[in-house]
Amino acid sequence: QSVLTQPPSVSGAPGQRVTISCTGIPSNIGAGYDVHWYQQLPGTAPKLLIYHNNNRPSGVPDRFSGSKSGTSASLAISGLQAEDEADYYCQSYDSSLGGEVVFGGGTKLTVL
Amino acid sequence: QLHLQESGPGLVKPSGTLSLTCTVSGGSISMGAFYWSWIRQPPGKGLEWMGSIYYLGYTYDNPFLRSRVTLSIDTSRNQFSLNLNSVSATDTAVYYCVRQAQSNLDYQFDHWGQGMLVTVSS
Protein backbone atom coordinates (compact mmCIF):
# COMPACT_ATOMS: atom_id res chain seq x y z
CA GLN A 1 0.00 0.00 0.00
CA SER A 2 1.45 3.34 -1.10
CA VAL A 3 1.97 6.22 1.30
CA LEU A 4 0.49 8.70 -1.17
CA THR A 5 -3.00 7.92 -2.49
CA GLN A 6 -3.88 8.26 -6.17
CA PRO A 7 -6.98 7.08 -8.05
CA PRO A 8 -6.17 3.85 -9.92
CA SER A 9 -7.56 5.19 -13.17
CA VAL A 10 -8.94 8.25 -14.92
CA SER A 11 -10.15 8.74 -18.46
CA GLY A 12 -11.10 11.50 -20.85
CA ALA A 13 -11.82 12.18 -24.47
CA PRO A 14 -9.34 13.95 -26.75
CA GLY A 15 -9.34 17.67 -26.11
CA GLN A 16 -10.80 17.36 -22.62
CA ARG A 17 -9.17 18.25 -19.31
CA VAL A 18 -8.48 15.66 -16.63
CA THR A 19 -7.03 15.91 -13.14
CA ILE A 20 -5.21 13.32 -11.07
CA SER A 21 -5.16 13.73 -7.31
CA CYS A 22 -2.39 12.76 -4.89
CA THR A 23 -3.42 12.68 -1.25
CA GLY A 24 -0.89 12.61 1.55
CA ILE A 25 -0.77 12.99 5.32
CA PRO A 26 0.70 15.51 7.78
CA SER A 27 4.15 13.89 7.72
CA ASN A 28 4.60 14.30 3.97
CA ILE A 29 2.62 16.70 1.75
CA GLY A 30 0.90 18.18 4.79
CA ALA A 31 4.30 19.02 6.30
CA GLY A 32 5.07 21.25 3.33
CA TYR A 33 7.24 18.89 1.33
CA ASP A 34 7.07 19.39 -2.40
CA VAL A 35 5.32 17.07 -4.86
CA HIS A 36 6.78 15.89 -8.14
CA TRP A 37 5.01 14.08 -10.98
CA TYR A 38 6.20 11.47 -13.49
CA GLN A 39 4.76 10.09 -16.69
CA GLN A 40 5.47 6.47 -17.60
CA LEU A 41 4.63 5.38 -21.13
CA PRO A 42 4.18 1.63 -21.65
CA GLY A 43 7.46 -0.26 -21.50
CA THR A 44 9.58 2.79 -20.70
CA ALA A 45 11.20 4.40 -17.67
CA PRO A 46 9.32 7.15 -15.87
CA LYS A 47 9.95 10.68 -17.07
CA LEU A 48 9.87 13.80 -14.91
CA LEU A 49 6.76 15.81 -15.75
CA ILE A 50 6.32 18.38 -12.95
CA TYR A 51 8.76 19.27 -10.16
CA HIS A 52 8.37 21.28 -6.99
CA ASN A 53 4.57 21.25 -7.25
CA ASN A 54 4.09 23.33 -10.39
CA ASN A 55 7.27 23.58 -12.47
CA ARG A 56 7.73 21.98 -15.88
CA PRO A 57 11.11 20.73 -17.14
CA SER A 58 12.19 21.97 -20.52
CA GLY A 59 10.27 20.20 -23.27
CA VAL A 60 7.14 19.38 -21.27
CA PRO A 61 4.12 21.01 -22.89
CA ASP A 62 2.22 23.64 -20.92
CA ARG A 63 -0.86 21.40 -21.19
CA PHE A 64 0.55 19.78 -18.05
CA SER A 65 0.26 21.69 -14.78
CA GLY A 66 0.51 20.94 -11.10
CA SER A 67 -0.81 22.38 -7.88
CA LYS A 68 -0.62 21.68 -4.17
CA SER A 69 -2.82 22.59 -1.23
CA GLY A 70 -2.82 21.28 2.31
CA THR A 71 -2.24 17.54 2.32
CA SER A 72 -3.00 17.05 -1.38
CA ALA A 73 -1.63 17.80 -4.82
CA SER A 74 -3.08 17.57 -8.31
CA LEU A 75 -1.84 17.08 -11.85
CA ALA A 76 -3.98 18.61 -14.57
CA ILE A 77 -3.76 17.71 -18.24
CA SER A 78 -5.66 19.92 -20.65
CA GLY A 79 -6.24 19.42 -24.37
CA LEU A 80 -5.94 15.67 -23.89
CA GLN A 81 -4.08 13.85 -26.66
CA ALA A 82 -3.80 10.16 -27.50
CA GLU A 83 -0.10 10.16 -26.63
CA ASP A 84 -0.93 11.23 -23.07
CA GLU A 85 -2.20 7.71 -22.36
CA ALA A 86 0.22 6.52 -19.70
CA ASP A 87 0.69 5.88 -15.99
CA TYR A 88 1.26 8.91 -13.78
CA TYR A 89 2.97 8.89 -10.39
CA CYS A 90 3.33 11.51 -7.67
CA GLN A 91 6.34 11.65 -5.35
CA SER A 92 7.13 13.45 -2.12
CA TYR A 93 9.17 13.09 1.06
CA ASP A 94 7.90 11.67 4.33
CA SER A 95 9.57 12.67 7.59
CA SER A 96 8.35 9.72 9.65
CA LEU A 97 10.48 6.61 10.24
CA GLY A 98 13.63 8.66 9.85
CA GLY A 99 12.69 10.05 6.47
CA GLU A 100 12.04 8.45 3.12
CA VAL A 101 11.07 9.18 -0.45
CA VAL A 102 7.48 8.11 -1.09
CA PHE A 103 5.43 7.56 -4.23
CA GLY A 104 1.77 7.33 -5.03
CA GLY A 105 0.43 4.04 -6.34
CA GLY A 106 0.06 5.42 -9.83
CA THR A 107 -2.88 6.41 -12.01
CA LYS A 108 -3.61 4.92 -15.41
CA LEU A 109 -4.86 7.58 -17.83
CA THR A 110 -6.97 6.28 -20.69
CA VAL A 111 -7.72 8.54 -23.64
CA LEU A 112 -11.10 7.44 -24.94
CA GLN B 1 23.74 14.46 -22.06
CA LEU B 2 23.72 12.44 -18.85
CA HIS B 3 23.19 8.70 -19.32
CA LEU B 4 22.67 6.01 -16.68
CA GLN B 5 22.91 2.30 -17.45
CA GLU B 6 22.09 -0.60 -15.14
CA SER B 7 23.99 -3.88 -15.36
CA GLY B 8 24.07 -7.16 -13.51
CA PRO B 9 22.49 -10.62 -13.43
CA GLY B 10 18.91 -10.79 -14.64
CA LEU B 11 18.19 -13.93 -12.63
CA VAL B 12 18.86 -14.45 -8.93
CA LYS B 13 18.07 -17.50 -6.81
CA PRO B 14 15.82 -17.19 -3.75
CA SER B 15 17.73 -16.36 -0.54
CA GLY B 16 20.61 -15.08 -2.67
CA THR B 17 21.92 -11.54 -3.18
CA LEU B 18 20.85 -9.23 -5.97
CA SER B 19 23.75 -7.07 -7.16
CA LEU B 20 23.40 -4.27 -9.69
CA THR B 21 25.74 -1.56 -10.89
CA CYS B 22 24.85 1.74 -12.51
CA THR B 23 27.38 3.30 -14.87
CA VAL B 24 27.04 7.04 -15.34
CA SER B 25 28.28 8.76 -18.48
CA GLY B 26 28.09 12.33 -19.70
CA GLY B 27 28.77 13.75 -16.24
CA SER B 28 30.83 13.14 -13.12
CA ILE B 29 29.28 11.23 -10.25
CA SER B 30 31.58 13.24 -7.95
CA MET B 31 29.68 16.47 -8.51
CA GLY B 32 28.40 17.18 -5.05
CA ALA B 33 25.04 18.54 -6.09
CA PHE B 34 23.24 15.23 -6.52
CA TYR B 35 22.10 12.00 -4.90
CA TRP B 36 22.37 8.74 -6.86
CA SER B 37 19.44 6.44 -6.26
CA TRP B 38 17.77 3.09 -6.89
CA ILE B 39 14.05 2.76 -7.54
CA ARG B 40 12.27 -0.49 -8.38
CA GLN B 41 8.96 -1.44 -9.94
CA PRO B 42 7.46 -4.94 -9.60
CA PRO B 43 5.66 -6.11 -12.74
CA GLY B 44 2.35 -4.31 -13.09
CA LYS B 45 2.86 -2.34 -9.88
CA GLY B 46 4.05 1.07 -8.73
CA LEU B 47 7.41 2.65 -7.94
CA GLU B 48 9.36 2.02 -4.74
CA TRP B 49 12.37 4.07 -3.63
CA MET B 50 15.10 1.79 -2.32
CA GLY B 51 17.81 4.24 -1.34
CA SER B 52 20.14 7.06 -2.31
CA ILE B 53 23.87 7.65 -1.98
CA TYR B 54 26.02 10.79 -2.00
CA TYR B 55 29.41 10.79 -3.71
CA LEU B 56 31.13 10.89 -0.30
CA GLY B 57 29.43 7.62 0.62
CA TYR B 58 26.60 8.86 2.84
CA THR B 59 23.55 6.66 2.31
CA TYR B 60 19.81 7.01 2.88
CA ASP B 61 17.57 4.00 2.51
CA ASN B 62 14.00 2.83 2.66
CA PRO B 63 13.26 1.93 6.29
CA PHE B 64 11.34 -1.15 5.15
CA LEU B 65 14.35 -2.47 3.22
CA ARG B 66 17.12 -1.11 5.43
CA SER B 67 18.23 -4.44 6.84
CA ARG B 68 18.72 -5.94 3.36
CA VAL B 69 20.05 -3.05 1.28
CA THR B 70 23.65 -1.95 0.84
CA LEU B 71 24.57 0.99 -1.37
CA SER B 72 28.09 1.81 -2.52
CA ILE B 73 29.77 4.25 -4.87
CA ASP B 74 32.99 4.15 -6.90
CA THR B 75 33.87 7.63 -8.07
CA SER B 76 36.94 6.41 -9.96
CA ARG B 77 34.70 4.33 -12.24
CA ASN B 78 31.76 6.74 -12.18
CA GLN B 79 29.56 3.93 -10.89
CA PHE B 80 27.26 3.24 -7.97
CA SER B 81 25.89 -0.10 -6.86
CA LEU B 82 23.03 -1.85 -5.09
CA ASN B 83 23.16 -5.06 -3.10
CA LEU B 84 19.91 -6.59 -1.84
CA ASN B 85 20.30 -9.75 0.22
CA SER B 86 17.93 -12.55 1.23
CA VAL B 87 15.82 -12.05 -1.91
CA SER B 88 12.50 -13.73 -2.57
CA ALA B 89 10.01 -13.73 -5.42
CA THR B 90 8.58 -10.45 -4.17
CA ASP B 91 11.87 -8.77 -5.10
CA THR B 92 11.26 -9.54 -8.78
CA ALA B 93 11.09 -6.12 -10.39
CA VAL B 94 12.50 -3.67 -12.90
CA TYR B 95 15.32 -1.86 -11.12
CA TYR B 96 16.10 1.72 -12.16
CA CYS B 97 19.18 3.74 -11.32
CA VAL B 98 18.28 7.39 -11.08
CA ARG B 99 19.78 10.80 -10.35
CA GLN B 100 18.10 12.99 -7.77
CA ALA B 101 18.31 16.61 -8.86
CA GLN B 102 19.82 17.88 -5.59
CA SER B 103 21.55 16.27 -2.62
CA ASN B 104 18.24 16.40 -0.77
CA LEU B 105 15.64 13.64 -0.52
CA ASP B 106 12.90 16.24 -1.05
CA TYR B 107 13.93 16.74 -4.67
CA GLN B 108 12.83 15.22 -7.94
CA PHE B 109 14.43 12.40 -9.94
CA ASP B 110 15.47 14.01 -13.19
CA HIS B 111 17.51 11.37 -15.01
CA TRP B 112 16.57 7.69 -15.20
CA GLY B 113 18.29 4.61 -16.55
CA GLN B 114 16.31 2.43 -18.93
CA GLY B 115 15.71 -0.11 -16.17
CA MET B 116 16.69 -3.73 -15.77
CA LEU B 117 14.36 -6.63 -15.02
CA VAL B 118 15.67 -8.88 -12.28
CA THR B 119 13.78 -12.11 -11.68
CA VAL B 120 14.10 -14.08 -8.46
CA SER B 121 13.56 -17.74 -9.24
CA SER B 122 15.21 -21.09 -8.73
Side-chain angles (χ1 to χ4, degrees), chain A residues 42-106:
Chain A
T44 69
K47 166 193 160 187
L48 180 64
L49 198 63
I50 296 286
Y51 64 98
H52 292 309
N53 307 317
N54 55 14
N55 296 277
R56 286 185 308 276
S58 174
V60 173
D62 59 7
R63 303 187 295 105
F64 295 89
S65 62
S67 63
K68 188 187 101 168
S69 178
T71 57
S72 294
S74 289
L75 171 70
I77 310 171
S78 60
L80 208 56
Q81 300 180 4
E83 60 258 36
D84 298 334
E85 187 160 293
D87 294 323
Y88 293 84
Y89 293 91
C90 60
Q91 174 226 327
S92 187
Y93 175 81
D94 192 289
S95 59
S96 62
L97 298 177
E100 61 174 313
V101 176
V102 291
F103 286 96

Side-chain angles (χ1 to χ4, degrees), chain B:
Chain B
Q1 177 75 356
L2 194 73
H3 183 73
L4 292 84
Q5 180 68 57
E6 305 88 352
S7 61
L11 181 65
V12 182
K13 290 187 178 349
S15 78
T17 297
L18 180 158
S19 297
L20 294 175
T21 295
C22 182
T23 301
V24 180
S25 57
S28 173
I29 204 170
S30 299
M31 288 183 65
F34 311 109
Y35 281 167
W36 304 94
S37 307
W38 291 94
I39 292 170
R40 70 178 180 178
Q41 184 173 35
K45 296 188 177 180
L47 302 169
E48 179 181 37
W49 172 74
M50 300 187 71
S52 299
I53 188 166
Y54 190 54
Y55 82 101
L56 292 176
Y58 308 135
T59 60
Y60 310 88
D61 40 41
N62 184 321
F64 297 100
L65 297 172
R66 184 162 294 153
S67 62
R68 298 198 293 135
V69 166
T70 302
L71 304 178
S72 59
I73 194 162
D74 186 341
T75 55
S76 66
R77 298 187 177 204
N78 231 34
Q79 295 176 331
F80 62 103
S81 299
L82 166 73
N83 274 9
L84 179 68
N85 59 35
S86 303
V87 298
S88 67
T90 57
D91 294 309
T92 294
V94 174
Y95 287 75
Y96 296 100
C97 60
V98 195
R99 188 185 83 169
Q100 197 157 19
Q102 288 287 329
S103 51
N104 184 323
L105 293 181
D106 188 24
Y107 274 67
Q108 68 276 17
F109 298 102
D110 61 353
H111 285 84
W112 295 66
Q114 66 182 28
M116 179 170 180
L117 175 64
V118 179
T119 302
V120 178
S121 174
S122 55

